[in-house]
Each structure stands twice: as C-alpha cells, then as structure tokens.
Amino acid sequence: MLKEPSDLSTIVNLGEMRKRHDSKEEKYMRDRDMMRGERSRDGRPQGRLSRPLLIIIIVALFLGVTFYGPFDLSFLSLSGKHYVIIIDAGSTGSRIHVFSLKEAGMDGYKLLKDDFYPLEPGLSSYGKDPKKAAESLKPLLDFAYKKVPNESHEQTIVKVKATAGLRILSEEVANNILTEVEEYVKKNYKFKVLPKLAQIMDGTDEGVFAWISLNYFLDNWEPVPMKTAALDLGGGSFQLVFETENPDQLPTEAKGNVHKMPVAGMARNVYVKSYLGLGLKEARVKLLKKGEGEVLSSPCLPEKYTGDWEHGGSTYKIQGSSTSSYDNCLTSVKTTFEGAITPINELLTKDFYAFSYIYDKAKDGGLVSGVEGAVVTVADFTRIAKEACKAQLVDQRFQCLDTVYINYLFSHAFKMPEDFKMHVVKKVNGEEISWALGAAFREMDERKV
C-alpha cells in the first residue's frame, strides 16, 4: 500500500518548478502569443487588459493601499530574481548555499548561481554549548550577507536544516541548539524570518531533495518514467531514492517506503529510504566499538596505527590490529551490519548515481579525478578496498575501513554484481549535487501559497 506523504506533498510542486519540454516551434508560438496577445477569430486581441479595466484595477489598488495599508508583495520581484539561503547542518560540518533563482514563466525556476561555502565541525559537535553552536554559523551567514544585494536582504529566505548529526542527539540537546541558532539569526541578520527557521530535516526529505537536484541538473524533467537512482552517503546516514515502476514487486519490507508524489508533470511512485546511523562516520563508530577496553582496536585500521579520532563531540582512542587485513575487515563489517539493508532488484535496472562520501573515497582511491567523476563498477570499489587494506598506510588510517564499508554496501547489502556500472560524481553539468537545491525550490513554492 502506497503512503500519502505527510510532508512530502509540498516537496515538489513541479507543476511550478519543472521545465517544459515543448518543441522549439511550440515555445516560439507560445512566447510570441504571450507578448503580442493571442487573437480571436474576429481579429480582436486576447490576453491584454482593456484600458477601462486597467484603470479600474489601478484605482482599486490605490484605494486598497489608502484604507488598508500596503499589501505584502515581498514574494514578487520586478526582475524575477530571488535569493534563497539554505544551510546544510550536517554531522561533520555546516555548508551554506546562496541560491540565485530566476522565474522562468511557465518553465518554473531557473538556477542562476549557487554560491557555496563549507566549514567544520558540525552543530552536533557543540552539544554541551548551544550558544557556541549558533555562533559557529557566523562565517557562513556573513558570507551570505555579502552575496545577497543589500536591497534584497529582507526578502531573502534563510533556512537552517540539520540532518543526521542532530537526529542522533537527544531531543532536548538538539532542540536547544536549534533554538539558539534561530535566535542568533533573528538578532544579527535582516534576512526574511519564516516559521521553523532552524529545524531537523527528515531523512526522507533529504533523500528526495537530493534526487530532485540530481534530476534537475541532468535535465530529466520529461513527463516519462525516470530511470535515475541516487545514493547519497553522508556522515550520519545515507539515502536511497528512485522512481519505482513496479511497486508491487518490491520486497515486502520495502513497500512502506514508496510515496506517491507529483514530480515533473506526473504522479510518481518514489521509493525513498533514509538509513539513519549507517552514514560513513557512524559506521566507523559502530565498527570501532566492537573493540574492547579503553583503546579500541580494529582489523580495518593499519596494524601500526595508534591515535585519537574525534566525532560527534566524543574522542576515541583507536589502534590497528595484528589481524588487520581486507578479509578480516570485511568480516567485521558483515557481522556488524548484516540484515540492516534491504536489497532491491529493481536498482539493477536504474541509471545509478552515487555521491558525497562515495565520491570522496573513490577519489582517494584513484577511481575518479575531476569533479564530474566517472563511470565505475562495483569491481573497482572491491579493488581499491583491497589495495587500501594491503597498503596499511598510517596517513590514510580510514581508507581501508571506509572503502570496505562502501564495497559492502554495493556487493553484499544491495547485492550488485561486480560488473554493475554507476556514476560516481561530485558535480553534474558543473553543479554540485546536494539536497539543498530541492529544498530551495520547495521554499519558493511555499512562498507562493
């Protein structure tokens, strides 16, 4: 049975934001008629206001302002250009996107520019000091203040959306941080303040927004089934999203993750699953805690390595093991995460895109170089995992653990064959893949409601 999403119904009103795919001739005729006014059969122009009607409207507006005060028309822009600020408050760091968007008539919105600036650590690192957590965002907000023209500050939406890092904290600690963040922004900046300025974003939203952004950059808004699947591996969680053409054939435990939603002119069955606690950094914690004693030992670390690792406000003393190897690391990963992920055969029919930490680790292993990434196979990840574990490089202490975990996800959890091909990317057509753009589109749609 398909879920009607509680919050997802407003995620993508793509009747507003989708791109039209008329032929060039149709677009030319449509745009010409909009400019000239389409003529009726008797030769009189349509689509223009008559002079008497225009006078009536102007007088009505004047009287309305005189007796009731100015209308709130802040959602309009004479230039059609808008700014939306999204702060991605992740588990390992906070990243700001200052989106410049332009209205494109019936074509929805067009992304003009994404000014991006990251910093570390993330908000979750300040669990004991919420005020310091809020103040940590100052460099990001100052960056946005300079990027948005002064005359647009008060009309510019700013949203701070926390992901897995704050989801993992206790509700009280997370809420204290979010409250301080909201108060800090209100007190120090003149951006437009809307309800829930700072909030924890549901993992389902995160996954769908990233999928929307990916398909937008791929220009996949044709009203036909979308073949694209997206896997976004973060620090605290990972998200898997794709349009399923056969929801009834999904495994029983996966059917509850299918949501009916409008995307690109069609009602679609979108499979979206967020695996909280299975992001790369949280996977490290679970694997390292299999060790005993004050110093945590793991066969996934270089044998001669000893040191400290900080994550989520905690410091772990860690070291390698005399049994460090690819096979022993894979065994440790299997026993830790066995059964946590549901394999889905339909994934093997998709145009599969993997990004975030998957790109980073593929780059560290030499699989990809430029930000546009490359097409690689599951076998390629198996190879670099074996190479990393064999090299035992102390200065790349987590490369064995991380690549074995990623290889486990593909080969064992999702049961992809070794020759399965995927796109491993950081950017598509020059734009960085992130859920933030999808979130910005939703903010613009909600602003019009």
Side-chain angles (χ1 to χ4, degrees):
M1 184 173 179
L2 303 182
K3 286 185 177 180
E4 288 294 340
S6 57
D7 191 36
L8 288 174
S9 58
T10 57
I11 281 184
V12 213
N13 182 6
L14 286 178
E16 293 285 343
M17 66 171 275
R18 73 174 188 269
K19 297 182 178 180
R20 290 179 62 99
H21 287 273
D22 298 340
S23 67
K24 291 183 179 179
E25 292 77 8
E26 290 173 319
K27 281 191 174 183
Y28 171 77
M29 295 293 288
R30 170 166 57 86
D31 295 340
R32 185 198 64 184
D33 290 338
M34 288 175 68
M35 293 296 294
R36 296 182 177 178
E38 187 179 356
R39 294 185 177 275
S40 64
R41 291 180 180 178
D42 61 5
R44 290 179 300 178
Q46 294 181 358
R48 290 182 175 177
L49 296 174
S50 66
R51 182 171 296 179
L53 180 58
L54 185 60
I55 293 173
I56 291 172
I57 291 174
I58 292 173
V59 171
L61 286 173
F62 173 77
L63 292 175
V65 171
T66 301
F67 290 101
Y68 298 102
F71 300 114
D72 181 10
L73 299 178
S74 63
F75 67 92
L76 296 176
S77 171
L78 293 177
S79 66
K81 188 174 182 179
H82 306 270
Y83 297 89
V84 181
I85 299 169
I86 302 291
I87 295 181
D88 169 4
S91 58
T92 57
S94 296
R95 298 160 286 272
I96 195 166
H97 294 262
V98 183
F99 292 112
S100 303
L101 304 174
K102 188 173 182 64
E103 292 186 31
M106 295 183 71
D107 290 341
Y109 301 107
K110 178 182 178 182
L111 175 65
L112 299 177
K113 192 176 182 183
D114 174 10
D115 287 304
F116 173 75
Y117 181 53
L119 63 74
E120 294 182 352
L123 293 179
S124 58
S125 298
Y126 301 97
K128 298 178 181 179
D129 193 345
K131 288 185 180 294
K132 192 173 181 180
E135 292 168 358
S136 74
L137 298 180
K138 184 179 187 302
L140 301 184
L141 292 162
D142 288 349
F143 172 81
Y145 220 62
K146 293 177 182 178
K147 291 296 180 181
V148 176
N150 291 339
E151 63 271 18
S152 297
H153 283 171
E154 294 184 1
Q155 286 77 47
T156 297
I157 299 170
V158 58
K159 284 295 180 79
V160 179
K161 293 182 177 290
T163 56
L166 260 64
R167 288 184 212 131
I168 292 170
L169 298 180
S170 70
E171 183 177 354
E172 180 181 2
V173 172
N175 285 338
N176 287 341
I177 290 175
L178 294 174
T179 298
E180 290 295 335
V181 167
E182 190 158 329
E183 290 303 314
Y184 182 79
V185 176
K186 289 179 180 178
K187 180 179 178 181
N188 295 284
Y189 300 90
K190 294 182 179 179
F191 295 126
K192 188 176 184 66
V193 174
L194 296 177
K196 298 182 179 179
L197 183 153
Q199 63 183 139
I200 295 177
M201 185 170 61
D202 183 82
T204 300
D205 285 6
E206 184 179 354
V208 172
F209 289 154
W211 184 69
I212 288 169
S213 299
L214 172 64
N215 282 288
Y216 177 85
F217 294 136
L218 289 171
D219 198 18
N220 278 348
W221 293 125
E222 294 285 356
V224 296
M226 291 177 174
K227 298 292 185 180
T228 306
L231 195 154
D232 181 2
L233 178 63
S237 64
F238 76 82
Q239 285 67 236
L240 175 67
V241 190
F242 62 92
E243 180 184 0
T244 174
E245 297 178 62
N246 301 293
D248 293 336
Q249 296 180 21
L250 291 172
T252 301
E253 60 270 35
K255 290 179 180 179
N257 300 315
V258 178
H259 301 268
K260 196 86 168 181
M261 64 180 69
V263 181
M266 288 180 62
R268 300 173 185 272
N269 297 317
V270 180
Y271 177 93
V272 52
K273 172 67 175 177
S274 180
Y275 289 91
L276 182 62
L278 296 186
L280 193 64
K281 298 294 182 72
E282 286 301 308
R284 287 180 186 175
V285 172
K286 290 178 173 61
L287 286 166
L288 292 170
K289 284 187 174 180
K290 290 173 68 71
E292 298 179 357
E294 184 178 342
V295 180
L296 305 178
S297 178
S298 171
C300 296
L301 297 175
E303 180 178 353
K304 296 181 180 180
Y305 175 78
T306 301
D308 294 340
W309 177 56
E310 294 184 7
H311 173 63
S314 299
T315 300
Y316 302 92
K317 293 185 178 298
I318 59 176
Q319 67 180 21
S321 165
S322 59
T323 62
S324 295
S325 69
Y326 169 81
D327 289 334
N328 289 332
C329 180
L330 181 58
T331 298
S332 179
V333 171
K334 283 182 176 179
T335 56
T336 304
F337 301 105
E338 198 73 43
I341 296 168
T342 302
I344 300 174
N345 290 334
E346 190 178 354
L347 270 183
L348 305 182
T349 69
K350 299 299 180 182
D351 195 15
F352 195 88
Y353 280 78
F355 39 95
S356 297
Y357 275 121
I358 293 176
Y359 169 86
D360 294 339
K361 291 303 166 180
K363 184 179 179 181
D364 292 343
L367 286 185
V368 300
S369 53
V371 292
E372 296 287 340
V375 176
V376 304
T377 65
V378 172
D380 291 325
F381 275 102
T382 302
R383 175 175 58 80
I384 66 169
K386 289 181 177 180
E387 290 174 352
C389 295
K390 183 178 180 180
Q392 298 276 323
L393 297 178
V394 171
D395 60 346
Q396 294 184 11
R397 54 181 180 169
F398 285 120
Q399 185 66 4
C400 170
L401 184 155
D402 293 343
T403 50
V404 169
Y405 178 64
I406 292 171
N407 183 50
Y408 165 79
L409 293 180
F410 294 143
S411 293
H412 303 277
F414 290 117
K415 300 188 183 303
M416 295 174 173
E418 289 286 284
D419 62 353
F420 181 76
K421 295 179 179 180
M422 67 186 76
H423 304 266
V424 176
V425 299
K426 184 177 180 67
K427 293 186 177 183
V428 170
N429 292 326
E431 300 291 346
E432 184 158 351
I433 302 303
S434 163
W435 55 259
L437 179 62
F441 280 134
R442 183 173 77 168
E443 293 299 332
M444 290 303 300
D445 277 345
E446 290 187 340
R447 198 178 185 189
K448 285 187 172 184
V449 173

